[in-house]
Amino acid sequence: MKKHIDALTCLSILATAVYRESCEAYRLSGKRYSGTYTIDPDLSGPLTPFSVYCKMTEDKAWTVVSHNRMDQTKVKGSSVDWPYVGDVRYDNASWEEVTALAHISEHCEQWIEYSCYKSRLLNTPGGKSFAYWVGRHDDSHVYWGGSFPGIQKCGCAINQTCADSKFHCNCDADYSQWYSDRGLLNFRDHLPVRRIVVSDTNRTASEAQFALGPLRCHGDRSTWNTVAFTKPTYMEFPSFQPHTSADISFYFKTTSDSGVFLENSNEQNHNFIRVELNCPTDLVFIFMVGDSLMNVSLQSPRPLNDDQWHWVQVEINVKGARLRVDQQPWAIRHFPGQTYITLKFTQPLLVGAARNKLKAYLGCLRGLRMNGMTLDLEGKVNESEGIRLKCTGQCPKAALPCRNGGRCIEGYASYTCDCNNTAYDGYYCHKGIGAHFEAGSWLQYSIGRESISEEAMWANWQDSHNFSLGYNQTSEEIEFSFSTSNTPAVLLYISFFIRDYIAIILKKDGGLDLRYRLGLSTHKLQVSPRNVADGSPHFVSITRRNYTVRIQVDYMEPTWETISREQDVRPSPPKDLFIGRVTEIGEIDDEIQRHNSPGLEGCISGVRYNIYTPLKEYFRPNETASRITMQGYVTESNCGAFPSVLAPVPPQADPWYTGPEFKYIHDDLPSPPAMTLAILLFLVLMFGVLYILYLFLYRYKGSYYTHEPKHVDSPSSAQPFTKLLHKNTLPQLQGEVRSG
């Protein structure tokens, strides 16, 4: 009952983080195409999100951050006393933000190049360097691209290709002709490059040029020193001895309603501290001052068990105690003047639960620091006790945990797929929701109830993730699959206020066109020149980012088209979405009217326009079902479904594979010992079968029986016949002998 009451008192509206922490996180969430994304490396931490370019590959996602030194910078007249200092300013990100990106990444690299005309670089071997670069911690580095930390060399010294073997850099030969030293800097802890300093260009005819490539990182180290508690248990550490003040911080991520993060006490419990999640929105710091038990409680405006990382800070000293989560205001409790406080504990520090495993915490914990010291959480991993390394859970173990952009939600011992923002349902967001349209049938989905003022449009157009007004002006995402043998038809039509529209048209010859009307002009793009009205299912994916449109049909390579920059790519807000046929009131483009009859006769499924999924909302009614108008005969069907545009997944690694025993397979291939044993058993079985066949087929070899009676008086009288049979007449008589 108490738990129920606590849950009611802490009831709030669920809110989730808008941005992912890395390009890799976007890739795992289903974003498979390269482009500009907004990332937040410290999630709920103090840094603001920023835009990067994500280069998606089959097995990893590269995060690329450009800057102002990517083009050649010419340097002349610099000296040791008056060096040239080239500061690097990264696009869309502060130094702290781009440093945080490098810190959480598994690998980072930057290409660096120095071109010289009678201008020395590192002054090798043995001299004081004339040029250097400054990295993450404001340290100067005198190794160049292709080389390693701790040595004053360029890449040519590593592969022994320097222009003069007496020097460790091409430029250090000091020739009156152009040379260059270039290569990758890939020691992650020194990156990103903050500035480049050049000082040997003040002699006659001396000149240098340098260029720096973008910061490129992949992987995500945000799980560093991270553990997941999957069972009621705790870790034990030596007693915390802060004396008169304590400073504690950590990150947590959970879906549980409550749990104790840490607790420390002495035998008499006169000194005591505990930090716990009391309910989804209530974070509490409990402590003893003298003989009084006190606490600082923080009420979060949104639940903290939203499966997102949250940062907790706790402080206590003689003046008071305070508690903070993420960037919310501090919750503070002041102490009276001359309060005496001593924090001396004799019991072990418990992390993950209170004594006797009370109020156990289930979830992830990382970066636990107590008075500046980081606790080695990973060193306490014990899978049998329910303490697992990292916070990877089950999501990354499966090759593709959730299909069609479904969001994988960790359960710390399992996972589920959130299909809310997809046009699919099912446990893995793998079941397409489609409909069969008879000729003349159509569906209308009302997106906007009323026109939005021009002031509201311009106030919100910069936020590409803002759907609160029902539209996204700088981009669209359209996906669906269909199958039909009848033409022509308007498969999908999105109308906007003030005459703008988007239409996907199936032409009479079976080709597919995309038409944009933005502002005063209409832009026509070819989606598919081949006949797709062949009765087979076809998948269509269209994405627009400002002036660039990406189009993909089935498994074909995507094509990229550019809208004229003379057009305004910020359309008015969308009003209605039509499937099958357009019944818009008012003026309709002649090209749309020409293809509007008789309408779609066939199947269409998985329809998604940005966050809108009309077929799913029609067949899986919710509070938006009242926005839908249907005309004609439309029935639910998956005949227009088409598999995702992804490489096939082997059954052993496919998390939604159902074999003869209907068993979900989450783990990887069998371990080498298990596989070896299976092979040996198979070979033994095959050998046995072959041996039996050998005995059966060749049991007569060397022994042939005539069934003739031997002579009574001479037992050996049959021997000549037997020898003759074997030597001379075996091929001819074999059939007769066996039949006799």
Side-chain angles (χ1 to χ4, degrees), residues 540-552:
V540 178
S541 174
I542 299 170
T543 303
R544 177 181 71 88
R545 295 286 185 270
N546 292 320
Y547 297 95
T548 303
V549 181
R550 176 187 182 275
I551 301 171
Q552 186 172 17

Side-chain angles (χ1 to χ4, degrees), residues 223-376:
T223 57
W224 175 80
N225 199 13
T226 305
V227 295
F229 294 89
T230 62
K231 300 177 184 178
T233 187
Y234 56 72
M235 301 175 173
E236 285 193 8
F237 290 91
S239 300
F240 182 41
Q241 300 298 338
H243 301 298
T244 59
S245 64
D247 182 354
I248 304 169
S249 65
F250 59 88
Y251 290 84
F252 78 91
K253 182 169 77 165
T254 185
T255 56
S256 300
D257 293 341
S258 62
V260 172
F261 300 113
L262 60 92
E263 177 187 276
N264 212 175
S265 63
N266 62 16
E267 294 175 356
Q268 293 78 28
N269 279 337
H270 293 311
N271 281 303
F272 173 86
I273 60 170
R274 179 192 291 168
V275 183
E276 68 176 88
L277 184 67
N278 193 40
C279 74
T281 58
D282 193 358
L283 192 67
V284 183
F285 173 39
I286 307 171
F287 53 90
M288 293 285 293
V289 175
D291 293 329
S292 301
L293 185 65
M294 300 183 181
N295 71 79
V296 180
S297 180
L298 185 149
Q299 296 286 334
S300 174
R302 65 175 185 268
L304 300 174
N305 63 339
D306 56 358
D307 202 30
Q308 302 292 322
W309 283 109
H310 296 285
W311 185 37
V312 176
Q313 295 172 273
V314 179
E315 296 178 9
I316 184 172
N317 53 39
V318 294
K319 295 183 179 180
R322 62 179 188 169
L323 173 66
R324 187 184 193 189
V325 62
D326 301 332
Q327 295 305 300
Q328 298 182 27
W330 287 93
I332 302 174
R333 179 159 188 167
H334 296 285
F335 298 155
Q338 299 186 3
T339 297
Y340 176 77
I341 182 172
T342 178
L343 301 172
K344 186 176 181 180
F345 308 111
T346 58
Q347 297 294 315
L349 170 68
L350 307 181
V351 177
R355 180 63 62 183
N356 299 323
K357 300 181 182 178
L358 296 175
K359 293 189 175 180
Y361 168 70
L362 298 179
C364 296
L365 205 66
R366 71 176 170 95
L368 175 58
R369 296 172 63 89
M370 305 189 69
N371 278 11
M373 299 296 294
T374 300
L375 273 64
D376 183 14

Side-chain angles (χ1 to χ4, degrees), residues 160-213:
Q160 299 180 353
T161 59
C162 292
D164 190 328
S165 60
K166 296 191 299 292
F167 302 97
H168 296 163
C169 295
N170 289 318
C171 288
D172 290 348
D174 205 25
Y175 292 141
S176 295
Q177 64 184 81
W178 283 100
Y179 279 92
S180 63
D181 288 287
R182 59 174 70 94
L184 281 175
L185 302 171
N186 54 19
F187 189 65
R188 182 188 53 79
D189 289 346
H190 289 172
L191 299 177
V193 177
R194 189 168 192 174
R195 63 177 58 94
I196 298 173
V197 180
V198 179
S199 63
D200 187 34
T201 61
N202 63 329
R203 294 175 292 158
T204 302
S206 180
E207 183 179 348
Q209 298 179 7
F210 69 86
L212 181 69

Side-chain angles (χ1 to χ4, degrees), residues 470-487:
Y471 68 100
N472 180 350
Q473 291 185 299
T474 59
S475 65
E476 287 99 22
E477 292 183 1
I478 300 172
E479 287 184 352
F480 64 92
S481 58
F482 73 97
S483 62
T484 185
S485 301
N486 300 282
T487 62

Side-chain angles (χ1 to χ4, degrees), residues 669-711:
L669 290 172
S671 61
M675 186 175 292
T676 303
L677 180 60
I679 293 172
L680 288 174
L681 290 174
F682 176 77
L683 292 175
V684 170
L685 180 62
M686 289 299 297
F687 179 82
V689 172
L690 292 173
Y691 183 73
I692 293 172
L693 289 174
Y694 171 82
L695 293 178
F696 178 79
L697 294 175
Y698 298 100
R699 61 192 178 95
Y700 295 108
K701 186 175 182 181
S703 299
Y704 297 89
Y705 301 96
T706 63
H707 299 285
E708 292 181 340
K710 293 182 179 181
H711 198 281

